[in-house]
């Protein structure tokens, strides 16, 4: 709710926008000092890094979700087997 919106706005205001401004200024300075090829290479490198980071993060999220699902299933089976063992032990004592 409100905390999520607050977090997103803070991230946008204090992380993403200043980083974008800094990248733009660096690319502009490099273009001015050394020509447009340096500015374009800088922007292309940052763009490629951003795309790579997003792709790898999404892949890791999928792997993590699968791992959590498998861990929950294993935990549920362990609890069920312990409960079943206790039930059998209880009824065998009668």
């Amino acid at each position: 709710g409100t905390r999520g919106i607050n977090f997103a706005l803070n991230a946008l205001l204090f992380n993403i926008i200043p980083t974008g401004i800094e990248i733009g200024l660096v690319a502009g300075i490099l273009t001015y000092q050394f020509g447009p090829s340096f500015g374009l290479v800088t922007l292309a490198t940052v763009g490629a890094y951003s795309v790579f980071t997003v792709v790898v993060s999404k892949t890791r999220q999928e792997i993590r979700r699968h791992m959590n699902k498998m861990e929950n299933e294993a935990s549920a089976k362990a609890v069920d087997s312990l409960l079943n063992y206790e039930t059998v032990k209880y009824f065998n004592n009668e």
Side-chain angles (χ1 to χ4, degrees), residues 5-78:
I5 292 171
N6 188 28
F7 175 77
L9 289 176
N10 280 336
L12 186 67
L13 184 63
F14 295 116
N15 292 331
I16 297 171
I17 292 174
T19 303
I21 292 171
E22 183 179 4
I23 292 169
L25 288 173
V26 168
I29 291 169
L30 287 173
T31 300
Y32 179 74
Q33 292 287 328
F34 303 109
S37 61
F38 277 84
L40 289 175
V41 166
T42 302
L43 292 176
T45 302
V46 171
Y49 175 75
S50 299
V51 169
F52 174 77
T53 301
V54 168
V55 169
V56 169
S57 294
K58 286 185 183 255
T59 304
R60 288 190 70 232
Q61 278 181 341
E62 291 174 14
I63 292 170
R64 188 78 172 171
R65 282 191 189 117
H66 180 69
M67 185 183 72
N68 286 341
K69 180 182 172 191
M70 298 304 286
E71 186 176 344
N72 287 339
E73 288 177 9
S75 177
K77 288 179 183 177

